[in-house]
Amino acid sequence: MGELNLEALRREPDPEFAERLRARLRQQPAGRVRHGRHPLAKLAAGLAVTAAAGLALTLPTVRARASSFLALFREVSFVAVPVSSTDVQRVNGLDLEHLIGDRVQVLEQNAAVAVTSPEQANTVAGFTMLLPSVLPEGTVRTGIEVGGRNVARITADTTRLKQVLDALGLSDLDVPQELDGETAMITVSPMVMTGFAQGDRKAMFVQGPMPEVLMPAGVDLAQLGEIGLRVLGMPADEARTFAKSVDWRTTFLVPVPPMATRFRQTLVGSDRGIVVEGPIIDDVTKAEKGNWNLLLWSRGGRVYAIRSTMRLADVMAMANSLQ
Amino acid sequence: MTGRALQWISRDEVDWDAVYAEQLPRVYNFFRYRCGNPADAEDLTSITFEKAWRGRDRYRRDKGAFSTWLFTIARNAAVDHYRARMPSVPLAEAALVAAAAANPEDQTSLRSDADRLAALLPTLSDRDRELIALKYGAEMSNRDIAHATGLSESNVGTIVHRAVQALRERW
């Protein structure tokens, strides 16, 4: 008898079994694995820097605890901020979970659920969803999901924030010391996600209430905004000037990724929004095989987004026909 | 939210084919070590992938690597499998092994290392066998096993070491 052979049981799966199983899976609806973080976790990770830092301002509208409710009824403005691949790599290179993970407390976390009808979506989401009355020729609705309500609390740690900024090469920025130990609350209300398909072209229409960040009273939002803009790669002078000129309670910063080829402001009805466009690159040939676009706008206290690979004119027609 | 929503709406996706090719042998071998029976291993592998496929929207990267999530499903499938078959199979296997160990002639009938290992694994406790299956079947590191099981990494190392010692003594 030889030595204990702990690998003795290992075998390659029978190829026929592997192929049978693969075929069985393929028979089910074409599937994709959501690889991204839970929406709230994304918020939490970003907001870990944010709560004390200004990245929060790229997320939900921000309101101070002591502020009036007026801000809630204003329409929000979208401001596109181009982000270079260097900036993206710089932020991605940070081990944010290690740096600030223990400062984020998830208070409520609910997964998205698939629903079978707009009526059911209304019940689950708690508001009446809108649907386009005009669809491009050959377009069908493929499904509706309602995202869960998610709430997180973030405790600011100015020492950690300073470490993050130093790691990003932003040592010249001052961290508001009065934030240390203060908490910010982020609430993401249920959002309805409706899928459409036009042959190979897809669209995802997202709608829901404005997510909110509740910040401690007395916070200098312009200072946080400046930090957020610098993290996104904006030059110091420009960030300072811009931060002071913006009403941060009602402004969404939209980082425009490097793969985007263009972005511009637009109107959906009478509401201002932005459009970001970019190419779809074939994984194998690396050739362009079409375009993607993202349309964002707000109306009546809700935010709307359509991300699609359809023609932009068709997307605009859908957005303008919501009812 | 919109800054992050840009990423959220884009819904980063993984290549399911690549996941399947990479993880199928690991899951299958996990069950070979966990359950011993190749037919059961195929059945449980199918169950695991079908559950993962159906529940793919529930996977959250912030809760761990995709493989960790997949093996959580696999471990639960194994638990369900044993629960459905208990108590007859584990006891029968244990009795068979005990008899084999007591009878030199029966030992010679365990012709290959694979047969011998398959006969010895049921002598381990359920927890030890699961860790051995994760370590040598699924080829997971102690750190990944710790993430998957909730045990500390050092605890995983200790348990695996002791289980291997026990197998070596009975080999």
Side-chain angles (χ1 to χ4, degrees):
Chain A
M1 231 179 324
E3 283 291 302
L4 170 63
N5 180 3
L6 283 163
E7 298 179 358
L9 268 182
R10 214 178 289 154
R11 297 283 184 279
E12 280 300 306
D14 179 352
E16 284 186 19
F17 158 70
E19 200 42 53
R20 273 201 315 274
L21 176 55
R22 186 194 291 270
R24 208 155 60 234
L25 294 175
R26 278 178 175 160
Q27 283 172 0
Q28 299 182 34
R32 289 168 167 180
V33 178
R34 184 181 299 177
H35 206 1
R37 294 178 174 179
H38 189 282
L40 182 62
K42 279 193 168 183
L43 287 174
L47 283 167
V49 184
T50 341
L55 258 181
L57 300 168
T58 69
L59 304 172
T61 45
V62 177
R63 67 185 163 97
R65 283 179 187 143
S67 71
S68 73
F69 285 131
L70 282 177
L72 292 176
F73 299 103
R74 293 183 192 171
E75 296 308 300
V76 295
S77 303
F78 294 99
V79 176
V81 181
V83 183
S84 71
S85 50
T86 307
D87 297 325
V88 172
Q89 286 169 6
R90 201 177 47 163
V91 174
N92 285 345
L94 290 176
D95 186 355
L96 284 181
E97 299 214 357
H98 173 71
L99 282 168
I100 43 75
D102 61 332
R103 315 298 291 177
V104 180
Q105 185 181 7
V106 175
L107 303 177
E108 199 176 324
Q109 187 171 23
N110 297 290
V113 294
V115 295
T116 55
S117 67
E119 292 73 23
Q120 193 183 359
N122 294 343
T123 303
V124 176
F127 64 89
T128 302
M129 67 177 286
L130 300 180
L131 279 170
S133 58
V134 172
L135 290 178
E137 188 177 354
T139 300
V140 294
R141 200 171 73 210
T142 55
I144 307 176
E145 283 185 18
V146 181
R149 176 183 153 87
N150 299 287
V151 183
R153 180 166 54 212
I154 297 167
T155 305
D157 182 331
T158 52
T159 304
R160 298 271 186 92
L161 174 59
K162 185 64 180 163
Q163 289 171 350
V164 170
L165 294 177
D166 287 346
L168 290 170
L170 302 173
S171 305
D172 61 304
L173 281 169
D174 292 327
V175 173
Q177 292 302 319
E178 65 273 17
L179 270 184
D180 200 36
E182 293 280 359
T183 58
M185 193 81 81
I186 307 110
T187 303
V188 181
S189 298
M191 303 194 87
V192 177
M193 296 161 278
T194 310
F196 296 92
Q198 181 191 37
D200 290 341
R201 297 179 175 183
K202 314 279 188 215
M204 177 66 75
F205 172 37
V206 182
Q207 57 188 304
M210 307 287 184
E212 287 184 6
V213 175
L214 193 62
M215 298 289 281
V219 170
D220 184 345
L221 295 179
Q223 189 179 7
L224 291 182
E226 182 185 342
I227 294 174
L229 291 166
R230 292 289 305 281
V231 169
L232 290 175
M234 190 177 280
D237 290 350
E238 200 179 330
R240 180 156 299 173
T241 305
F242 184 80
K244 287 180 178 166
S245 67
V246 164
D247 181 352
W248 287 105
R249 294 171 303 171
T250 58
T251 300
F252 280 16
L253 289 188
V254 181
V256 177
M259 61 278 219
T261 49
R262 59 188 296 226
F263 60 93
R264 60 185 169 83
Q265 289 202 321
T266 190
L267 285 175
V268 178
S270 58
D271 304 304
R272 281 184 301 174
I274 64 165
V275 172
V276 184
E277 296 173 88
I280 302 169
I281 307 295
D282 188 281
D283 288 340
V284 178
T285 64
K286 305 301 178 194
E288 288 187 21
K289 59 178 185 181
N291 290 291
W292 58 264
N293 49 65
L294 173 67
L295 170 63
L296 286 163
W297 76 103
S298 73
R299 177 183 300 162
R302 296 212 181 114
V303 63
Y304 299 88
I306 301 178
R307 182 186 187 275
S308 92
T309 53
M310 294 179 182
R311 291 190 319 123
L312 182 58
D314 289 337
V315 172
M316 293 300 299
M318 288 169 67
N320 280 304
S321 73
L322 290 182
Q323 59 182 33
Chain B
M1 171 199 78
T2 310
R4 298 292 159 185
L6 192 66
Q7 299 172 15
W8 171 39
I9 292 163
S10 73
R11 288 187 164 201
D12 302 343
E13 290 152 5
V14 294
D15 181 347
W16 182 262
D17 277 347
V19 166
Y20 182 80
E22 180 185 323
Q23 300 296 335
L24 180 72
R26 299 181 63 217
V27 172
Y28 172 71
N29 279 303
F30 165 73
F31 285 123
R32 280 183 63 88
Y33 279 69
R34 187 74 178 86
C35 307
N37 183 328
D40 285 347
E42 286 193 355
D43 288 347
L44 291 167
T45 301
S46 297
I47 289 169
T48 299
F49 274 90
E50 283 169 1
K51 279 187 176 174
W53 178 255
R54 285 197 301 271
R56 59 197 179 279
D57 279 348
R58 289 196 295 277
Y59 165 63
R60 307 290 182 199
R61 179 184 272 180
D62 57 299
K63 288 191 170 180
F66 183 83
S67 58
T68 305
W69 179 72
L70 187 64
F71 274 96
T72 299
I73 296 172
R75 292 173 62 222
N76 289 336
V79 169
D80 291 343
H81 170 76
Y82 274 124
R83 192 175 289 147
R85 297 182 63 178
M86 281 179 75
S88 58
V89 172
L91 289 177
E93 284 180 358
L96 186 66
V97 171
N103 186 336
E105 286 182 9
D106 285 345
Q107 281 190 353
T108 59
S109 70
L110 300 175
R111 291 183 296 275
S112 69
D113 284 358
D115 290 335
R116 199 174 298 135
L117 187 58
L120 286 178
L121 286 174
T123 65
L124 298 175
S125 70
D126 200 52
R127 182 196 64 179
D128 291 5
R129 184 174 186 180
E130 181 177 57
L131 263 55
I132 289 291
L134 290 169
K135 178 82 179 175
Y136 296 99
E139 300 182 83
M140 289 171 74
S141 66
N142 287 0
R143 174 171 294 185
D144 288 342
I145 294 173
H147 283 149
T149 59
L151 296 168
S152 70
E153 193 176 338
S154 61
N155 206 3
V156 169
T158 303
I159 294 168
V160 169
H161 177 73
R162 286 178 182 162
V164 170
Q165 285 292 100
L167 291 172
R168 185 167 286 130
E169 287 166 9
R170 297 165 195 165
W171 184 257

